[in-house]
Amino acid sequence: MEWETVIGLEIHAQLNTKSKIFSAASTQYGQKPNSQACAVDLGLPGVLPVLNVEAVNKAIKFGVAINAHINQRNIFDRKNYFYPDLPKGYQISQMDWPIVGEGKIEITLGEQTKVVGITRAHLEEDAGKSIHDMFDDDTAIDLNRAGTPLLEIVSEPDMRSAKEAVVYAKKIHTLVQYIDICDGNMQEGSFRCDANVSIRPKGQKKLGTRAELKNINSFKFLERAINLEVERQQDILEEGGSIVQETRLYDSVKHETRSMRSKEEANDYRYFPDPDLLPVEISDELLERIRQTLPELPTQKKARFVAELGLSDYDADVLTLQKPLADYFETMLDHHASNAKLCANWVMGELSASLNKHQIDIQNSPITAQALSLLISRISDDTISGKAAKDVFKAMWNSEDNADEIIQAKGLKQMTDMGEIEAIVEQVIANNAPQVAQFKSGNDKIFGFFVGQIMKLTAGKANPKQVNELLKDKLS
Amino acid sequence: MHTKTIVELAQGLKDKDFSCVELTQHYLNRIDQSNLNAFITVTDELALVQAQAVDNKIASGNANILTGIPYAHKDIFCTKGVKTSAGSKMLDTFVSPYDATVSQKLNQADLVMLGKTNMDEFAMGSSNENSFYGTVKNPWNRLKIPGGSSGGSAASVAGGLSCFATGTDTGGSIRQPASLCGITGLKPTYGRISRYGMIAYASSLDQAGPMTKTAQDAAIVLNVMAGFDDKDSTSAEQKVPDYTTHLNDSIKGLTIGLPKEFFSSGLDDEVADNIMVAVKEFEAMGAIVKEVSLPNSTHAIPAYYIVAPCECSSNLSRLDGVRYGYRAKNVKNLEDLYLRSRSEGFGEEVKRRIMIGTYALSAGYYDAYYLKAQKVRHLISDDFKKVFEQVDVIMGPVSPTTAFDLGSVKDPVSMYLADIYTLSANLAGLPGMSIPAGFAQKLPVGLQLIGNYWSESKLLNIAHQFQLQTDWHLKTPQEC
């Protein structure tokens, strides 16, 4: 039987606000346990939540960026359940009246484009963290993360393969960073996914029973986890079994998914409107004001790179996928608007390769956009050859010196004085009479011999273009 | 000294008839000698330190009307460094690291806190028999209940153990004990006083307020307690008027609505008689009385006993034995920790309401109970809205009976009926007052005033005018 995979994603994007969604405590990551949690985050008796307007603004920003419906009156609900890292015994979230309603995202796979529906995106607070390996028999609780604002972006079950799911997730990942609502750091858990996966016989309309894969924090794992889950479900169905609706955990070490809890054990969250918070009213003015703050979005930027800079679709795609990479590239363009292709080649070539090799983010690149820009200048003004430039790049990577300093120190400056080159060209012609005769008798191939001789004499510093021109001129 | 009002004590302090230390010591002695069980915690040392500081302040001429007035604080308000139990075993060990906004405001006004008053556990109760710290006794008759949940506060004021007290009112918990103990109690409009640091029972109904000897005192205390708080999203961004300004306004031509539903068969005849005598008094002052109807108020009890338990089931979830408060010993695992901490830490009535709320909010029942109750709430509010188009104030009884015998009401549902006349004001968020209006079987009877939103000034004016004409509020229980 031919099966069709159906995937919907729930993405938790941690909003990059300075303080928490319902308290004034800092959201800074990596601090001493429980040092970023105030009375409100600890859920002390009597404390009350106060909504951080910035979190609302950022959620609106996402909504307008995907042209979604914004619910101008939305409500916070309590989702009740007991867990040690949930200090109040409920999580403040949104159920029936989320801030962002329906929207759409277009994704591209090779030549094909496809639209994925966004069901909703709602605001909620994150829980704390249980730490099981700090004390022998006890579990420790760190509430620094408790109350961190999350935007949960829920998609329609529109994706048909793990690949599509990854493309969609990456697209959202790119977008939230572009509009500066989330830092996208997956290692720190700022961006994580749950995948709802089911399969059905191809052609069947009705959805199959789904399993929910929880808390996946890398695109690689997302693809693997979905593929594994699809295989598992296929095996069960083909052996005549049936799928149980449940929540499953992907174990990246053992490379397996396993059951966390079944639907029967699922909590009854007893959602109801939080009486401590008033409904959020969003005015037309605020909506418009936030719309105005939207930066150029990745799809717009890509289109511009192709249309105005003449980059290929592929190059434009690579350069716009990550906001910091695009920023880096655009900083270089400030000086090299006419050399976009050369800049692109260097960013996607030498720079990306070195960053990958050393596992460094573009934001922490030892060579800044300005520094690389200077190097590009020296290539385009013929100070150095493209080959020499690679040596300069390596030297820049390992030192604080700028391109000019390195060119100077290594003596890589091209010989561009026409008179000087001319003298050497003439000398080579004079010293190699037999070869000149061969060339004149029609042996074009020998041209390279003269070039080689000249380069040898100039230690490779002569500008090849000038050498070519002069040689042609003198030999004719 | 302990029969004096805030106004009188302030004068005494100003005239150096007594020092604040003497005054405070006098109250502390009375608390020490009393057997009303009105306090959970007496902060005697702290009070005397405060009193000394206040005396210095008075000496330097920096006193305001509330400087140095000794008061009792309901144990539901968090007080930094002082145990805050909410009458529960669950919080018997809890010392708050922060002050409630109300506590902070009272501190800033240089009041002297004598201690934290006894109350029904987490403010759930109408008789003060649900406290982990034992029941409070009614100063008028120690075999009777003082009313709940602010029973400790009411008994403390009525028994002369404090000049005034704070209370909270979720379904009548200021007005009902005020009525049964013969003092003045005001529950302001929902949102008038910050709920920050007030341990939540039912968030959409809870409201703090003053419990005093007179309406004038209530106005003075409300001036300090009221106001917007950016730590409480449901507090109102409305200017606080000076509530004492209109106390002496004439009430000639005032229209009083008597809801016929408040005078139905459950009302004790003697209580009803007292209320009617009080209403006549108002007529004598030039008020016009009309019969009005609040048809949906008959649904107030069922609606309240869905909404309040739903909210409390969620509000009390944080008391799980993990971070603070009571934790069961020798637990087997996490579930055991939750189960036993909560089973052992909560009292019967609290557990009953948590169970009701959990049930009513659970999947499949939400629409039938919670949503339905919210709709009823709207109908009740609409009833009031219509009535306030015709009248300035609603009057009626606070409680269907006078204080009943300790231990006499065993059935929880019968106990819930004690709040029959007070609940609807909470469901609608309206301000309500109880003022002393007579005696039946030697026990105080309270008259309830319910006003339109933000009409605290008017309610205080009406109450003050009544107190100028009557002396019910001046009566004190002989035993104390």
Side-chain angles (χ1 to χ4, degrees), chain A residues 42-50 78 80 82-84 87-90 143 268 270-273 275-278, chain B residues 78 94 97-98 195-198 203 230-234 314-315 317-318 323-324 334 338 342 358 361-363 366:
Chain A
L42 299 176
L44 288 184
V47 297
L48 296 170
V50 175
R78 291 186 183 177
N80 296 281
F82 286 102
Y83 205 72
K88 299 187 293 292
Y90 57 84
L143 294 175
D268 176 353
R270 291 170 281 120
Y271 278 98
F272 75 106
D276 289 332
L277 290 160
L278 301 175
Chain B
C78 284
F94 180 69
Y98 76 102
R195 290 187 296 116
Y196 187 79
M198 198 174 106
S203 312
D230 59 14
K231 294 207 224 37
D232 174 3
S233 312
T234 61
S314 175
N315 282 336
S317 301
R318 65 188 65 197
R323 291 165 307 283
Y324 46 77
L334 181 62
Y338 287 150
R342 289 170 67 82
T358 304
L361 283 176
S362 60
Y366 179 86

Side-chain angles (χ1 to χ4, degrees), chain A residues 202-458:
Chain A
K202 202 149 198 162
Q204 181 185 300
K205 278 249 161 57
K206 195 169 159 278
L207 291 172
T209 306
R210 68 189 153 90
E212 186 181 11
L213 307 173
K214 273 279 182 206
N215 267 333
I216 304 168
N217 64 351
S218 97
F219 295 126
K220 195 165 78 187
F221 293 158
L222 177 63
E223 185 164 352
R224 283 187 190 169
I226 292 172
N227 284 333
L228 260 178
E229 181 55 24
V230 169
E231 273 173 44
R232 188 188 71 89
Q233 292 188 10
Q234 260 183 37
D235 289 349
I236 291 173
L237 291 177
E238 279 170 4
E239 280 164 25
S242 58
I243 307 298
V244 185
Q245 187 175 331
E246 61 185 351
T247 302
R248 295 179 74 84
L249 181 88
Y250 172 66
D251 183 331
S252 61
V253 179
K254 291 186 181 155
H255 190 52
E256 61 174 29
T257 67
R258 58 171 180 268
S259 185
M260 276 171 79
R261 54 176 184 262
S262 72
K263 191 187 175 191
E264 287 71 37
E265 301 167 55
N267 278 304
D268 176 353
Y269 291 119
R270 291 170 281 120
Y271 278 98
F272 75 106
D274 191 330
D276 289 332
L277 290 160
L278 301 175
V280 180
E281 306 280 354
I282 299 165
S283 67
D284 292 337
E285 291 73 31
L286 177 66
L287 213 53
E288 191 45 42
R289 191 142 46 83
I290 291 173
R291 209 184 293 279
Q292 298 297 328
T293 66
L294 269 193
E296 183 182 40
L297 299 177
T299 18
Q300 295 165 335
K301 200 184 276 292
K302 183 185 161 187
R304 179 167 61 85
F305 282 3
V306 172
E308 290 179 17
L309 303 177
L311 297 187
S312 69
D313 251 7
Y314 175 80
D315 287 0
D317 207 36
V318 171
L319 288 169
T320 51
L321 193 59
Q322 294 173 50
K323 175 83 172 13
L325 190 70
D327 288 345
Y328 189 101
F329 175 65
E330 290 201 89
T331 306
M332 292 180 67
L333 284 184
D334 289 346
H335 309 280
H336 297 289
S338 56
N339 269 329
K341 181 64 189 163
L342 187 61
C343 293
N345 286 346
W346 275 86
V347 170
M348 292 165 64
E350 295 294 306
L351 180 71
S352 293
S354 300
L355 291 172
N356 282 343
K357 193 173 144 202
H358 295 97
Q359 296 194 320
I360 299 175
D361 289 337
I362 184 99
Q363 294 98 310
N364 301 317
S365 169
I367 300 179
T368 64
Q370 285 80 1
L372 188 58
S373 194
L374 181 64
L375 179 59
I376 302 288
S377 299
R378 293 301 167 258
I379 300 168
S380 50
D381 69 9
D382 288 333
T383 305
I384 52 170
S385 64
K387 190 169 162 288
K390 292 190 178 178
D391 294 333
V392 177
F393 181 87
K394 281 198 189 88
M396 281 166 69
W397 185 272
N398 294 313
S399 81
E400 303 269 289
D401 297 342
N402 70 27
D404 283 343
E405 287 160 346
I406 291 165
I407 292 166
Q408 180 74 36
K410 292 198 167 206
L412 292 174
K413 196 168 188 305
Q414 289 193 113
M415 194 179 278
T416 48
D417 183 322
M418 275 300 231
E420 213 178 329
I421 297 174
E422 196 173 0
I424 292 168
V425 171
E426 278 168 359
Q427 188 194 333
V428 168
I429 289 172
N431 291 348
N432 296 287
Q435 282 83 357
V436 174
Q438 281 180 33
F439 181 80
K440 288 201 167 158
S441 66
N443 184 359
D444 289 349
K445 282 177 193 158
I446 209 153
F447 189 79
F449 165 79
F450 297 107
V451 176
Q453 289 295 308
I454 294 159
M455 286 303 181
K456 206 168 151 190
L457 281 171
T458 61

Side-chain angles (χ1 to χ4, degrees), chain B residues 55-77:
Chain B
D55 273 332
N56 297 339
K57 204 157 184 172
I58 295 172
S60 65
N62 288 322
N64 64 61
I65 185 140
L66 284 172
T67 305
I69 304 297
Y71 78 102
H73 207 16
K74 188 175 180 178
D75 205 24
I76 201 165
F77 294 96

Side-chain angles (χ1 to χ4, degrees), chain A residues 3-132:
Chain A
W3 298 96
E4 182 176 54
T5 303
V6 177
I7 304 160
L9 291 187
E10 289 167 24
I11 292 174
H12 288 85
Q14 191 176 301
L15 298 177
N16 56 357
T17 52
K18 285 201 183 66
S19 55
K20 295 186 176 177
I21 184 165
F22 298 118
S23 86
S26 161
T27 52
Q28 214 186 339
Y29 180 81
Q31 301 299 298
K32 219 177 117 231
N34 296 310
S35 64
Q36 311 285 295
C38 68
V40 175
D41 308 314
L42 299 176
L44 288 184
V47 297
L48 296 170
V50 175
L51 181 60
N52 179 349
V53 178
E54 271 311 298
V56 173
N57 290 347
K58 285 180 190 273
I60 296 174
K61 208 167 172 187
F62 175 79
V64 293
I66 63 164
N67 262 318
H69 173 73
I70 305 289
N71 290 312
Q72 286 179 255
R73 180 184 162 90
N74 57 88
I75 288 175
F76 282 100
D77 296 288
R78 291 186 183 177
K79 178 180 180 180
N80 296 281
Y81 65 97
F82 286 102
Y83 205 72
D85 62 21
L86 187 73
K88 299 187 293 292
Y90 57 84
Q91 177 191 24
I92 306 177
S93 181
Q94 297 192 306
M95 181 63 181
D96 292 333
W97 301 273
I99 182 160
V100 178
E102 281 182 29
K104 285 188 192 82
I105 289 266
E106 196 181 273
I107 60 170
T108 315
L109 281 105
E111 296 296 293
Q112 289 184 315
T113 60
K114 142 166 209 168
V115 172
V116 177
I118 305 271
T119 316
R120 59 186 281 159
H122 63 258
L123 280 166
E124 62 184 29
E125 57 177 344
D126 209 343
K129 227 165 45 182
S130 299
I131 303 164
H132 301 288

Side-chain angles (χ1 to χ4, degrees), chain B residues 179 259 262-263 267 271-272 275 395-400 421-422 445-448:
Chain B
S179 167
F262 282 21
F263 295 87
L267 182 62
V271 172
I275 299 301
M395 286 189 193
V398 175
S399 173
Y421 305 128
T422 49
V445 171
L447 169 72
Q448 184 171 210

